[in-house]
């Protein structure tokens, strides 16, 4: 079992620090994430063992210092014992977060930092620890924008994960279909109370499903009307927002052939590794999903994609593909796994 391979790795934490990354997106919104550092000084030389993870909580206010708790994790740990300690701690002590998923995102920051640290402390990288061989990562660019031509001029082989909306005209859909550049259509029908909510729309679902017969259809909102429209396409339906554990897979209305895996949704390393194993056992294909990471978290999900689902339409493109305007010189698909010599990171982090 994957968890069994790493849960007993010992390490010592001497200090916990946090730093906030900020990226202005619009006058109304700036993206913030918090990087968690677990550290121990090496030999009194102002050098540190440093394990890091990223909290991708979307509410910028949750990254304010008074809202983000400093945790006293000093001492001797294993991955398992530190995870059990985190079970006992309220990571949102100032009040309930705006979205329940934020609890898992923050937990993932500490768990991924601990995994990075534990591997380093035991002279391992994650591939060696899990006895898996990293592979080049196929990725897509994920966007809600419809102006794709500037990107294709610079990166003519680029493929996409797109978010259809009722504003998509028949002409636009036909143009996309003719270019054959869409691997996933994300209907976002399972989101509520977020800026990207997209209520179920049977007519939109029909047009999209018929226009892109080879694309995965992600997160439809199932109603009697949309269920009837998607019945012929059921084997292409995938899920993202509802999936936080293998138990969520078992609770789906029908067994999936493929799922979107966003590691931060799982919160704990143990839960994520169980999910990977059960999907492999049940023959469920996976592709990776990103959370607009600004730091080490992006490289970490790329590393996991390289180990578990490299040859899929992974939504783990380098951060430059999140920019509003394309720029030359970005890494292209397939992506070199580029694992660090030790730990749980990609070298370009």
């Amino acid at each position: 079992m994957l968890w069994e391979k790493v849960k007993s790795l010992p390490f010592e934490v001497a200090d916990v620090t946090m730093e906030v990354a900020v990226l202005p997106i619009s006058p109304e919104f700036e993206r913030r994430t918090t990087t968690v550092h677990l550290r121990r000084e090496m030999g009194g030389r102002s050098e540190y063992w440093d394990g890091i993870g990223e909290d991708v909580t979307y509410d910028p206010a949750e990254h304010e210092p008074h809202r983000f708790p400093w945790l006293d994790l000093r001492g001797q740990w294993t991955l398992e014992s530190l995870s059990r300690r985190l079970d006992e701690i309220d990571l949102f002590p100032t009040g309930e977060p705006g979205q329940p998923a934020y609890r898992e995102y923050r937990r993932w920051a500490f768990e991924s930092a601990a995994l990075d640290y534990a591997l380093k402390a035991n002279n391992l990288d994650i591939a060696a620890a899990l006895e898996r061989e990293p592979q080049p990562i196929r990725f897509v660019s994920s966007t809600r924008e419809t102006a794709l031509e500037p990107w294709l001029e610079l990166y003519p082989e680029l493929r996409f994960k797109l978010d259809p909306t009722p504003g998509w005209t028949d002409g636009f859909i036909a143009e996309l279909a003719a270019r054959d550049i869409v691997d996933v259509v994300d209907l976002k029908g399972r989101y509520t109370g977020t800026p990207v909510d997209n209520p179920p729309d049977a007519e939109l679902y029909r047009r999209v499903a018929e226009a892109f017969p080879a694309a995965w259809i992600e997160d439809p909102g199932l109603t009697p009307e949309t269920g009837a429209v998607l019945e012929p396409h059921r084997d292409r339906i995938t899920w993202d927002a509802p999936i936080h554990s293998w138990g969520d897979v078992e609770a789906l209305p029908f067994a999936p052939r493929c799922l979107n895996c966003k590691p931060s949704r799982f919160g704990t390393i143990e839960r994520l590794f169980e999910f990977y194993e059960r999907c492999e056992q049940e023959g469920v294909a996976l592709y990776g999903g990103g959370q607009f990471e600004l730091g080490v978290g992006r490289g970490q999900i790329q590393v996991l994609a390289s180990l578990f689902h490299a040859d899929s339409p992974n939504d783990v493109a380098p951060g430059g593909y999140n920019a509003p305007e394309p720029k030359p010189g970005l890494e292209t698909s397939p992506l070199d796994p580029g694992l660090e010599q030790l730990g749980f990171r990609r070298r370009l982090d």
Side-chain angles (χ1 to χ4, degrees):
M1 294 178 60
L2 296 171
W3 178 236
E4 295 293 326
K5 295 178 187 295
V6 298
K7 72 176 188 180
S8 299
L9 293 176
F11 57 98
E12 178 186 357
V13 176
D15 191 20
V16 181
T17 64
M18 276 85 73
E19 60 182 341
V20 178
V22 180
L23 179 66
I25 303 301
S26 70
E28 297 78 29
F29 176 69
E30 64 179 15
R31 179 61 167 136
R32 294 187 181 189
T33 68
T34 298
T35 298
V36 171
H37 295 255
L38 306 181
R39 306 201 304 179
R40 179 173 67 84
E41 190 172 329
M42 296 171 55
R45 302 190 306 271
S46 299
E47 296 180 11
Y48 295 87
W49 283 114
D50 191 20
I52 58 180
E54 187 175 6
D55 176 11
V56 295
T57 294
Y58 281 93
D59 183 351
E62 292 293 354
H63 299 278
E64 295 292 341
H66 70 284
R67 301 277 287 274
F68 200 110
W70 181 84
L71 304 186
D72 187 356
L73 298 177
R74 293 171 295 183
Q76 302 283 343
W77 303 97
T78 64
L79 276 178
E80 183 175 43
S81 67
L82 187 137
S83 186
R84 297 296 173 260
R85 177 69 182 113
L86 290 171
D87 286 339
E88 302 168 351
I89 298 173
D90 184 357
L91 299 179
F92 288 84
T94 63
E96 194 64 24
Q99 295 285 334
Y102 294 170
R103 289 195 174 275
E104 307 299 350
Y105 299 170
R106 183 157 295 175
R107 177 68 176 266
W108 175 253
F110 286 95
E111 294 252 347
S112 55
L115 177 60
D116 184 37
Y117 192 20
L119 291 168
K120 284 184 172 182
N122 290 274
N123 294 309
L124 292 167
D125 68 54
I126 188 171
L130 300 182
E131 301 176 306
R132 300 182 75 96
E133 188 67 29
Q135 302 295 325
I137 310 147
R138 181 160 67 91
F139 69 80
V140 297
S141 176
S142 178
T143 181
R144 301 201 92 191
E145 300 298 325
T146 56
L148 306 182
E149 193 60 38
W151 287 98
L152 290 167
E153 288 176 0
L154 281 177
Y155 304 103
E157 302 302 316
L158 186 60
R159 302 188 65 79
F160 293 89
K161 176 177 185 282
L162 299 180
D163 300 354
T165 68
W168 279 25
T169 65
D170 289 343
F172 178 67
I173 291 175
E175 179 184 343
L176 283 178
R179 300 195 70 161
D180 186 24
I181 54 176
V182 181
D183 284 341
V184 184
V185 286
D186 184 358
L187 299 175
K188 285 188 161 50
R190 295 299 298 265
Y191 288 90
T192 56
T194 76
V196 297
D197 288 7
N198 199 22
D201 183 330
E203 178 59 19
L204 175 66
Y205 289 10
R206 180 194 63 76
R207 293 193 294 140
V208 167
E210 292 176 357
F212 307 105
W216 295 109
I217 303 168
E218 183 176 294
D219 275 0
L222 291 183
T223 66
E225 294 75 21
T226 61
V229 164
L230 292 177
E231 178 66 31
H233 312 283
R234 179 176 282 193
D235 63 351
R236 292 195 286 133
I237 292 177
T238 76
W239 304 99
D240 167 24
I243 306 302
H244 306 81
S245 68
W246 177 253
D248 292 329
V249 181
E250 295 181 314
L252 290 172
F254 48 86
R257 289 184 57 232
C258 184
L259 292 168
N260 182 341
C261 175
K262 288 182 176 171
S264 57
R265 288 201 192 282
F266 291 78
T268 72
I269 301 294
E270 182 178 11
R271 197 179 302 147
L272 175 66
F273 283 2
E274 179 196 17
F275 172 80
Y276 282 142
E277 289 179 320
R278 294 299 300 272
C279 286
E280 198 164 78
Q281 293 165 7
E282 299 297 327
V284 178
L286 298 174
Y287 57 94
Q291 296 274 34
F292 204 160
E293 298 86 357
L294 300 182
V296 68
R298 197 66 170 186
Q300 288 174 337
I301 65 172
Q302 291 165 345
V303 166
L304 290 169
S306 79
L307 297 176
F308 292 100
H309 40 80
D311 192 24
S312 297
N314 293 293
D315 177 14
V316 300
Y321 287 92
N322 288 329
E325 300 292 336
K327 61 180 181 180
L330 299 179
E331 294 177 279
T332 56
S333 181
L335 199 61
D336 182 346
L339 272 63
E340 284 277 12
Q341 186 175 2
L342 298 176
F344 173 33
R345 303 189 204 176
R346 189 164 175 263
R347 280 193 298 270
L348 294 183
D349 296 334

